[in-house]
Amino acid sequence: MPMVFGNLNDNSGTGVAFTRDPATGEKKLMGEFLTNAQGEDVVAGVRTPMPIAQMEEKFPEAYAEFIDVCNKLEDHYRDMQDMEFTVENGKLYMLQCRNGKRTAQAALKIACDLVDEGMIDEKQAVLMIDPRNLDTLLHPQFDAKKLKAAVPMGKGLGASPGAACGKIVFSAEEAKAWAARKEKVVLVRLETSPEDIEGMKAAQGILTVRGGMTSHAAVVARGMGKCCVSGCGEIKMDEENKKFELAGKTFHEGDYISIDGSTGNIYDGVIPTVDASIAGEFGRIMAWADKYRRLQVRTNADTPRDAAKARELGAQGIGLTRTEHMFFEGDRIAAFREMICADTVEERVAALAKLEPMQQSDFEGIYEAMEGCPVTIRYLDPPLHEFVPTEEADIELLAKAQGKTVEDIKAIIASLHEFNPMMGHRGCRLAVTYPEIAEMQTRAVIKAALAVQARHPEWTMVPEIMIPLVGEVKELKYVKDVVVKAADAVLAEAGSDMKYKVGTMIEIPRAALTADEIAKEAEFFSFGTNDLTQMTFGFSRDDAGKFLGAYYEKKIYENDPFARVDQIGVGKLIKMAATLGRETRPDLHLGVCGEHGGDPSSVEFFHKVGLDYVSCSPFRVPIARLAAAQAAIKNEK
Ligand code: PEP
Ligand code: MG
C-alpha cells in the first residue's frame, strides 16, 4: 500500500469523525480535523483540532467527497460509522471505518432513525441495542464530566446499577434517621440482612464488604432499583467504632463517599449524580421487542410499590413474591417472633392469627398494583433464626409479650442455630414442621384474591401459590394438601368457585432430577436458579465471592455463575426438568425467578429451552423484554 501523509504540508491534514452524534444519536456529522498532521496528533491531544465542519472551508473538494463517502458507508453498513481519514495535497483518503460506539440513549435514537430512514427493519433495530446498556437509562448516573476526573479508590461487585453519593452511615437505623433529616446517605455494612430493608430504602446506595451477586443486599437493592456495590473485601470494617479503612484512608460516619453500582467502583468524596431520562425512542424499541418476543416477562416484587414500578416497565405478572420480606416491617416482626418462639401449636396459631390480616392486606396491595395479571406468591423460605432478635432489649420485649423469661427466649434462639442455614430448616421444610404457617399464608392469599376480585369483577383472579425448596414429591404433596385444604375451606365459606394454582420452585438438584414425579403434584415450575446454582456447584451464594476471583483469573470460570446461568451444568438440570416435567404434564407452565431471569445471555438460554416466562427485578424488566426479543429473532430459523 502506498503511504499517504497528512503532515506533508498545509494542504494536507487528518481527521476522525462519526456519521451521527455518538452521545445523542442526532443525525449530524461529528468529528475533528487537524491540518498538517497525522492521526496520532489528533489522538495525543497535543494540538487542538478544529470541528469537522471547518474542514469544508479549507478543503471544499475533499470535504464534499468525504460527505459522499459517509453516506455510502452508512448505506453499506446500515449503522452509524466511526471513521478515520487523511487528506494529502487536497485529496481524501479513507483509512478505516467501523460501527461507532455510542451511549445507550444514542443507540436507541440511531436504531429508530435508521428504521424511519428505511435502512433497517424493526427486528434489526431490536438486535442493535445491547440490553445491558438500558440500565443506564433507568437509574441515576454520575455526572460524566466529574466522573472523568475521579479515580476509584476501591472496587466491589457492581451488584445493582446506578450511581449514589452520600454520607456514610453504618446501620439501617442511622440511614433512616439521617434520611429523615434530608441527608443523603450511603449505607455501609459488612453484609445486609432483611432487618436492614428500611435503611436500604432510605439510603441513596448500599456498599457491603461481603456478599456476591445474589447476596441479600444485591437482590433486595436490585428489587428496589437502588445502587449497590457488594463484596468489597478490601474494606477493613470497624462497625463498632463506626469507621472503616479503604485505600489507606479511614472513613468515619458522615464522610462523603460515591459508589457506582454498574462498575462496582468506589470513590472518595462527592461525585454529583444526574437523574435518569427516558427518551421517546425507548418506548418504540420496547414495543418492537414485545412484538417479536415469545417469552413472557414477569417481575420479582414484594411490595405494591415495586409491583407498580414493574408494571410501568412492562412486567406481565409477578413470578416471585418473597413473603418473608413482609414480616420484617413495623409491628409484624413482633408477632412473627412470637410465632417462632411459641411452645405449643395453640400459641403459634394465635401469633399467626395476628399476621394473617397483615399478609392479606399486603397481597391485596400487590394484586391491585398488578391489575389482574398473574401473581405468584412464594411461601415462607428462610430459616427462622433470621427473624429472631439479637439485641438484648428486643429479647426482653419478646419475653414479656410471651410471658417467658429472657433465659427461655435465649434458649429458643440458641436451639434455632444452624451450622449451614442455607441447607437447613428453610423452604418447604418449615411448612412440613409447622403446617400452620402454610395454612395462614394460604388463607391470606385466597382471601386477598377474593377481596380484589369483588372490587374488580373485570379481572380474573387466579392466585398462584408456590412452595419453595422442594426436593421430594412427597414433601410437596404434604404441603400442597395443607394448602388445598385451607384454600378450599376459604372458598367454600365464600361460596366462590375461584381457581387457584399450586406449583413449586425447582431449586434443588434432586427436584430437577425427579421433575417427572414432582410434576404430578405441581401445576407450574419456577426455576430458582439462585439456589439451583448454589446447590449444583456446592458453593454458597453468599460466600463464593471470596474465591471466585481466583477462578476467573485462572480461567477456570469465565463468569459469575450467580449472574449468568451456567448453561452446561445448571442448564442441563433445567433442560432435563423442563422435559421430564412436561412428559408428566404437557401443559406445565415453566418460568424462572432466580436473578438470571434478568441477564440477557441467560434469557436467550431460557428461550431456547422453551420456558414460558422469565421473572426479574422491576428495573431489569425492560432488559429482559429486549433480551427475549433478541433471543426470538436470533433463533427464528
Ligand atoms: C432462587 O433460589 O433462585 C430464588 C428465586 O429464591 P431465593 O433467591 O429467595 O432463594
Ligand atoms: Mg431460593
Side-chain angles (χ1 to χ4, degrees):
M1 290 293 291
M3 177 86 181
V4 290
F5 295 92
N7 55 356
L8 195 64
N9 50 36
D10 277 347
N11 197 24
S12 306
T14 191
V16 176
F18 294 87
T19 52
R20 295 170 197 240
D21 187 330
T24 63
E26 197 188 331
K27 192 177 179 187
K28 69 164 199 251
L29 191 62
M30 281 276 302
E32 294 176 324
F33 185 79
L34 256 181
T35 47
N36 201 357
Q38 48 186 0
E40 199 157 305
D41 299 320
V42 182
V43 186
V46 196
R47 289 167 58 191
T48 310
M50 58 175 112
I52 192 84
Q54 286 179 24
M55 178 185 161
E56 190 173 10
E57 292 156 30
K58 217 162 156 66
F59 301 98
E61 274 170 37
Y63 185 78
E65 195 182 354
F66 180 61
I67 297 295
D68 194 39
V69 169
C70 285
N71 293 335
K72 268 203 189 110
L73 286 173
E74 268 212 352
D75 266 356
H76 179 76
Y77 289 108
R78 314 231 148 211
D79 197 355
M80 181 260 266
Q81 293 301 298
D82 167 355
M83 304 153 298
E84 292 176 20
F85 61 94
T86 284
V87 175
E88 189 190 69
N89 276 329
K91 177 161 174 47
L92 175 77
Y93 294 91
M94 294 302 296
L95 303 185
Q96 77 167 47
C97 72
R98 60 188 157 192
N99 292 345
K101 296 242 179 317
R102 62 206 76 179
T103 63
Q105 204 152 348
L108 295 176
K109 170 146 178 64
I110 290 170
C112 288
D113 286 354
L114 290 175
V115 170
D116 294 341
E117 290 160 29
M119 301 259 269
I120 59 172
D121 62 22
E122 292 168 2
K123 288 184 185 173
Q124 287 166 314
V126 164
L127 290 176
M128 267 177 93
I129 314 291
D130 183 344
R132 288 165 307 180
N133 289 348
L134 295 183
D135 260 347
T136 56
L137 298 173
L138 300 165
H139 300 280
Q141 300 296 319
F142 285 130
D143 182 322
K145 274 198 201 111
K146 299 277 171 22
L147 185 63
K148 236 181 189 168
V151 182
M153 60 164 172
K155 197 172 170 71
L157 296 169
S160 179
C165 168
K167 290 181 177 171
I168 294 166
V169 291
F170 290 94
S171 71
E173 289 75 36
E174 295 293 344
K176 270 199 303 191
W178 288 51
R181 301 200 297 266
K182 302 266 178 287
E183 296 264 26
K184 292 194 167 170
V185 296
V186 172
L187 177 61
V188 184
R189 307 277 288 143
L190 269 178
E191 62 209 341
T192 65
S193 71
E195 276 174 300
D196 294 326
I197 282 181
E198 294 296 319
M200 292 171 76
K201 263 189 215 159
Q204 302 297 303
I206 299 114
L207 169 62
T208 72
V209 181
R210 297 200 280 254
M213 296 296 279
T214 58
S215 61
H216 177 269
V219 171
V220 173
R222 275 199 290 277
M224 292 176 180
K226 191 140 284 188
C227 160
C228 173
V229 174
S230 69
C232 177
E234 301 157 37
I235 292 179
K236 284 205 198 78
M237 187 70 145
D238 181 356
E239 271 181 326
E240 208 168 298
N241 295 306
K242 295 189 177 177
K243 62 179 186 180
F244 68 82
E245 257 178 58
L246 180 61
K249 185 173 165 182
T250 306
F251 290 84
H252 297 93
E253 187 178 67
D255 290 347
Y256 270 105
I257 192 174
S258 301
I259 57 172
D260 187 331
S262 308
T263 60
N265 284 337
I266 305 162
Y267 302 88
D268 187 2
V270 178
I271 307 178
T273 56
V274 286
D275 275 345
S277 62
I278 299 177
E281 286 87 14
F282 185 85
R284 280 185 83 191
I285 295 279
M286 281 297 129
W288 292 333
D290 291 346
K291 196 156 133 189
Y292 298 110
R293 71 187 155 91
R294 179 191 61 76
L295 275 176
Q296 300 254 308
V297 178
R298 293 194 185 189
T299 192
N300 296 353
D302 314 328
T303 63
R305 201 185 70 166
D306 289 354
K309 183 80 212 166
R311 276 294 286 150
E312 216 179 275
L313 295 171
Q316 294 163 290
I318 289 185
L320 173 66
T321 292
R322 290 178 166 99
T323 50
E324 55 271 15
H325 291 173
M326 303 171 176
F327 292 122
F328 276 99
E329 292 193 355
D331 49 354
R332 298 157 184 223
I333 187 74
F336 199 75
R337 285 172 176 163
E338 284 175 34
M339 188 282 286
I340 297 172
C341 296
D343 282 327
T344 61
V345 174
E346 290 71 34
E347 267 181 36
R348 196 170 308 113
V349 168
L352 283 164
K354 292 189 198 168
L355 290 168
E356 191 179 309
M358 302 176 196
Q359 281 253 287
Q360 182 183 331
S361 81
D362 287 339
F363 296 151
E364 284 184 34
I366 288 174
Y367 287 145
E368 293 271 2
M370 290 312 286
E371 301 169 321
C373 292
V375 173
T376 305
I377 307 268
R378 199 264 308 270
Y379 280 14
L380 189 66
D381 185 32
L384 297 180
H385 76 86
E386 280 196 13
F387 301 88
V388 294
T390 48
E391 305 283 328
E392 198 67 24
D394 290 336
I395 295 177
E396 280 168 21
L397 222 72
L398 181 59
K400 216 163 158 199
Q402 295 265 95
K404 293 190 168 92
T405 66
V406 166
E407 283 64 40
D408 287 341
I409 298 292
K410 284 189 176 166
I412 292 172
I413 294 172
S415 75
L416 291 169
H417 172 78
E418 291 179 312
F419 284 103
N420 192 344
M422 268 290 178
M423 296 169 104
H425 192 193
R426 58 173 286 218
C428 63
R429 296 158 201 165
L430 293 168
V432 169
T433 35
Y434 305 124
E436 312 74 66
I437 304 178
E439 278 168 20
M440 181 280 278
Q441 294 203 285
T442 303
R443 279 194 301 273
V445 164
I446 302 293
K447 284 184 187 169
L450 287 170
V452 172
Q453 182 71 82
R455 289 200 286 273
H456 298 276
E458 71 280 16
W459 299 344
T460 308
M461 298 296 297
V462 183
E464 296 178 4
I465 292 166
M466 183 153 79
I467 315 293
L469 221 78
V470 161
E472 156 61 46
V473 67
K474 282 189 229 152
E475 69 183 336
L476 172 60
K477 167 113 177 59
Y478 177 83
V479 181
K480 185 183 164 186
D481 287 349
V482 170
V483 167
V484 168
K485 196 169 156 208
D488 289 352
V490 175
L491 290 172
E493 196 179 318
S496 165
D497 61 354
M498 178 184 281
K499 301 275 174 289
Y500 63 92
K501 291 184 186 163
V502 183
T504 189
M505 294 186 72
I506 303 289
E507 50 184 346
I508 287 186
R510 195 178 187 282
L513 295 166
T514 60
D516 46 349
E517 292 294 315
I518 304 270
K520 286 182 189 156
E521 298 297 335
E523 288 174 89
F524 61 87
F525 285 174
S526 178
F527 291 94
T529 47
N530 302 333
D531 274 312
L532 192 59
T533 299
Q534 162 169 265
M535 304 216 201
T536 303
F537 279 89
F539 48 58
S540 149
R541 52 201 267 194
D542 294 320
D543 298 327
K546 274 193 198 142
F547 51 80
L548 277 178
Y551 277 74
Y552 307 142
E553 237 167 65
K554 295 176 183 168
K555 309 254 181 305
I556 298 172
Y557 297 137
E558 278 177 31
N559 307 293
D560 182 346
F562 290 107
R564 178 182 286 199
V565 80
D566 156 47
Q567 298 187 12
I568 299 167
V570 176
K572 195 184 260 184
L573 285 172
I574 294 173
K575 252 195 266 182
M576 179 195 292
T579 309
L580 287 176
R582 282 195 172 138
E583 272 170 20
T584 301
R585 198 187 278 263
D587 62 347
L588 184 70
H589 202 229
L590 299 175
V592 58
C593 64
E595 285 301 296
H596 306 89
D599 168 63
S601 85
S602 309
V603 169
E604 181 170 5
F605 176 78
F606 299 136
H607 169 89
K608 284 200 222 158
V609 299
L611 302 195
D612 296 301
Y613 70 88
V614 294
S615 187
C616 56
S617 43
F619 283 90
R620 290 170 108 188
V621 164
I623 298 173
R625 285 161 70 195
L626 185 58
Q630 293 183 344
I633 295 167
K634 275 195 239 168
N635 294 285
E636 240 169 17
K637 289 167 202 103

